[in-house]
Amino acid sequence: MAVVAWIGLGNMGGPMTANMVTAGHTVRGFDLSAAALDAAVAAGVSPATSIADAVRGADVVFSMLPKGDHVRSVYFGDHGILANAAQTSLLIDSSTIDVETAKDVHDAAAAAGFRFVDAPVSGGMSGAVAGTLTFMIGGESGAVTDASAYIDPMAANIIPTGGATTGQAAKICNNLMLFINLASTAEGAVLAERLGLDKQVFWDIASVSSGDSWALRTWYPRPGVVPTSPANNDFAPSFTAELANKDIGLAIAAAHSTGTPLEIGEHVQQLFQRLIDEGEGGKDCSRIVSLVDGTLSTSATTNG
C-alpha cells in the first residue's frame, strides 16, 4: 500500500481518490475548493493544507485539474509539485490538457530528476465513481509500468500509448470523435422523430446498425430511451458543454499546429460555443440536441 498525494478533488478527482482509499492506500488530498476537500475527507482522504503538505513523502503524486494553466500552476513555482515532492515520487497527471503543456511538464520534470507520465482518462464521472475508467498513459516505459500499478483501483482499462504526451494525444483525438458522434446522434434522433419514427424503435435499430456509437448508446439525447442519458434529468451534467467545448478546442489547436483540417470538428465546436453563449454551458453536452429541435430559445425564454 502506498502514500498517495492527490491534487484536484473535483467531479473526477473526488471519486477517484475514494477508490484509492477503498483499495487500502493512504491518500492526502488538496484542493482550493473547501467543499471538494470536505467531500473527499468524508470518503476517507486525509486533508492537506497545501500542495507541499500533500506531496511530502508521497510515493506517487496524482493531479486531476481542469486546464493546462492549472497544471502549470500546480507543477511549477516555489509552491508547486516539482519544488516540494521527493524525487523518488512518481508523478502522474490525469488532467485533459493541451499537448504543449504536457510536453513542458514532461521536460521540466525530467530536468528536475523526476519520473512523470501523462495519463488522461475516459469514462466520465460515472466511470470515476465505478472505478471503470480507461487510462491512456504516455511516458518512459518503466514509469508507465509503475504508474499502471497505482492506477489499477480506478481503471477498467490501462493502455500505454507510447512516449511523452501520447496519452494526451490519444485523449484529444478520442474526444474529438466522441463529440462529432454526439452531434450526429442528435441530428439523427430529431430527424427520425420528425419522419414519424418512435424514438425507442429508432434507437433499437441504430444501436445494432451502422449508426451505432458510444454517444448513441450512453448519451442518447431523448428522455426515456437510455437509462444513462442526461436527457432523463433535464440535461443535468455528466459532462458539461463547457468542458466539451474545451476538449474539442484542444483537438482543434492540435490540428492547427500539425496542419490537419478538422472541418467537422470545428463546426461541432461552434455548436458548443452557441450553447455557452445561450447560458447553457453548465448543462450536459448532449444538450446540443436543442440546437437541432429548436427547444433552446423556448427554454431560455422560459427560464429567463
Side-chain angles (χ1 to χ4, degrees):
M1 295 298 103
V3 175
V4 178
W6 197 288
I7 313 302
L9 298 165
N11 290 331
M12 295 294 290
M16 291 167 76
T17 53
N19 286 321
M20 295 294 276
V21 170
T22 299
H25 296 299
T26 298
V27 183
R28 289 200 303 266
F30 177 71
D31 197 290
L32 293 176
S33 165
L37 185 58
D38 288 345
V41 169
V45 173
S46 299
T49 58
S50 66
I51 292 172
D53 183 34
V55 304
R56 190 174 296 113
D59 298 302
V60 59
V61 178
F62 281 89
S63 50
M64 174 57 93
L65 302 159
K67 297 180 180 179
D69 289 345
H70 301 121
V71 172
R72 289 178 184 274
S73 68
V74 160
Y75 276 86
F76 301 153
D78 292 342
H79 302 289
I81 292 171
L82 297 182
N84 291 279
Q87 287 192 346
T88 54
S89 299
L90 175 61
L91 310 182
I92 302 174
D93 179 45
S94 288
S95 316
T96 297
I97 58 173
D98 57 288
V99 172
E100 180 182 1
T101 294
K103 184 178 186 305
D104 287 347
V105 178
H106 267 284
D107 291 346
F114 288 95
R115 296 186 303 154
F116 172 82
V117 298
D118 55 291
V121 304
S122 180
M125 288 186 285
S126 59
V129 171
T132 57
L133 295 169
T134 293
F135 280 77
M136 298 151 258
I137 315 178
E140 183 271 325
S141 60
V144 168
T145 297
D146 290 346
S148 298
Y150 290 118
I151 285 167
D152 185 69
M154 303 177 285
N157 302 289
I158 302 172
I159 304 173
T161 54
T165 76
T166 57
Q168 292 297 345
K171 177 60 186 294
I172 288 169
C173 295
N174 178 76
N175 276 19
L176 170 69
M177 295 168 66
L178 164 64
F179 297 128
I180 290 173
N181 286 336
L182 177 61
S184 69
T185 297
E187 291 189 351
V190 174
L191 181 60
E193 289 180 16
R194 292 182 178 180
L195 290 173
L197 278 162
D198 177 82
K199 60 186 179 181
Q200 185 67 59
V201 169
F202 176 68
W203 185 91
D204 289 344
I205 294 167
S207 64
V208 294
S209 300
S210 53
D212 186 30
S213 69
W214 187 94
L216 180 137
R217 282 179 274 112
T218 310
W219 283 348
Y220 195 71
R222 284 309 202 217
V225 178
V226 175
T228 53
S229 173
N232 299 331
N233 192 28
D234 192 30
F235 297 96
S238 64
F239 197 93
T240 67
E242 288 176 341
L243 283 176
N245 191 53
K246 182 211 77 169
D247 282 7
I248 201 166
L250 294 175
I252 291 168
H256 290 167
S257 70
T258 57
T260 308
L262 295 185
E263 295 184 21
I264 301 173
E266 289 187 352
H267 179 67
V268 174
Q269 187 275 325
Q270 292 168 9
L271 298 178
F272 286 131
Q273 187 60 55
R274 282 174 58 190
L275 283 180
I276 293 168
D277 292 344
E278 291 287 344
E280 299 288 299
K283 289 281 192 177
D284 192 79
C285 57
S286 57
R287 182 83 161 107
I288 198 171
V289 72
S290 66
L291 300 175
V292 186
D293 65 17
T295 59
L296 179 59
S297 58
T298 300
S299 175
T301 300
T302 300
N303 294 333

